[in-house]
Amino acid sequence: MNAVLLAGGIPKSGELLYEECQGQSKALLDVAGKPMAQWLLDALGESEHISNVLVIGLDASSALHCTKPLRFMPDGGGLLENILLGIQYIRAHSPDSTHVLLSSTDIPSVTTEIIDWRIEAAQEASAELDYAVVERSTMETRFPDAKRSYIRLQDIEICGGDMNIISVNLAQKTDLWGRLVAARKSVRRQAALLGYDLLLQVLARRISLKQGEEKISRRLGVKGRVVVSPYAELAMDVDKPEQLAIMRNDLTLQAGIQ
């Protein structure tokens, strides 16, 4: 399977990680002796399931490297645009590919074991969009100071993961991407896209995870699947200085153990 890493975006003045980044990509922040994105590239390089890696938002001057073939692509202007660019690139250059591993670069504690589990779990379901979530108890046991935001459903309390599997055929659904891009910066359009009734059910905790999966799949017109990850690392992204500190401490200890 090919992997697409999203590394676009530079924190601006006033944003939480601006002082740390000082005009450089968040993906290149030093974490325990190497760029944050390099931790993930090292883990991908050891996975028997990964064949190629595409990094969007950086270029070769970043000095990032991987034991698997590594390519770079310029930022496309936004998260959804970059996702679509990555899928289209893989579809054009790897015609035998059916799915792509899609990940942010700010989850540096993810290991090869976790990547292999993520891919194998998705292969069993063969959905067009396979989305990982982490239960609150799992997250707070592994990272008690992470202070993540959670969605409370009827049967579970979860946060979203940052490594997911997506079908390359979704690139052909231009109407879907048009609606997603149009809704990207509008809360009203996002609500309309999913349905106000669904949002109210979520807010009132009158819907289960399985019911939410089925309703969102129907609204978007895709075969979707939500998998509950036993690994908190998939949702331990770095958006705040305190989360960066957690990762620096955690990976420094991991490096010392190794």
Side-chain angles (χ1 to χ4, degrees), residues 47-201:
S47 172
E48 63 182 18
H49 295 297
I50 296 296
S51 52
N52 300 280
V53 180
L54 173 66
V55 176
I56 300 180
L58 294 172
D59 57 35
S61 68
S62 64
L64 294 174
H65 55 88
C66 186
T67 57
K68 300 295 172 65
L70 177 63
R71 295 174 178 81
F72 298 91
M73 178 179 286
D75 193 309
L79 176 62
L80 288 169
E81 290 85 351
N82 285 342
I83 292 173
L84 184 56
L85 278 175
I87 298 172
Q88 289 173 333
Y89 181 92
I90 297 301
R91 193 165 183 269
H93 292 82
S94 299
D96 294 333
S97 293
T98 60
H99 290 76
V100 172
L101 176 77
L102 187 68
S103 178
S104 67
T105 51
D106 62 351
I107 46 174
S109 60
V110 167
T111 64
T112 301
E113 176 188 352
I114 297 171
I115 293 168
D116 288 343
W117 171 84
R118 185 70 192 92
I119 293 172
E120 289 163 11
Q123 287 174 335
E124 292 175 4
S126 191
E128 288 182 294
L129 176 59
D130 196 285
Y131 186 73
V133 298
V134 175
E135 195 167 359
R136 182 170 189 163
S137 59
T138 302
M139 175 60 71
E140 294 186 344
T141 298
R142 176 69 173 88
F143 299 108
D145 299 318
K147 296 180 180 178
R148 285 299 310 266
S149 297
Y150 299 92
I151 296 174
R152 299 177 68 181
L153 301 176
Q154 190 178 65
D155 56 341
I156 194 171
E157 196 167 359
I158 56 173
C159 58
D162 289 86
M163 180 176 285
N164 300 297
I165 312 294
I166 189 167
S167 166
V168 296
N169 289 333
L170 282 185
Q172 295 177 292
K173 296 191 175 184
T174 55
D175 177 63
L176 170 64
W177 288 101
R179 289 185 290 139
L180 290 172
V181 171
R184 181 165 56 91
K185 294 184 178 181
S186 169
V187 174
R188 181 183 60 80
R189 287 185 176 181
Q190 290 169 14
L193 183 63
L194 295 179
Y196 290 98
D197 59 330
L198 175 57
L199 295 179
L200 288 173
Q201 286 178 317

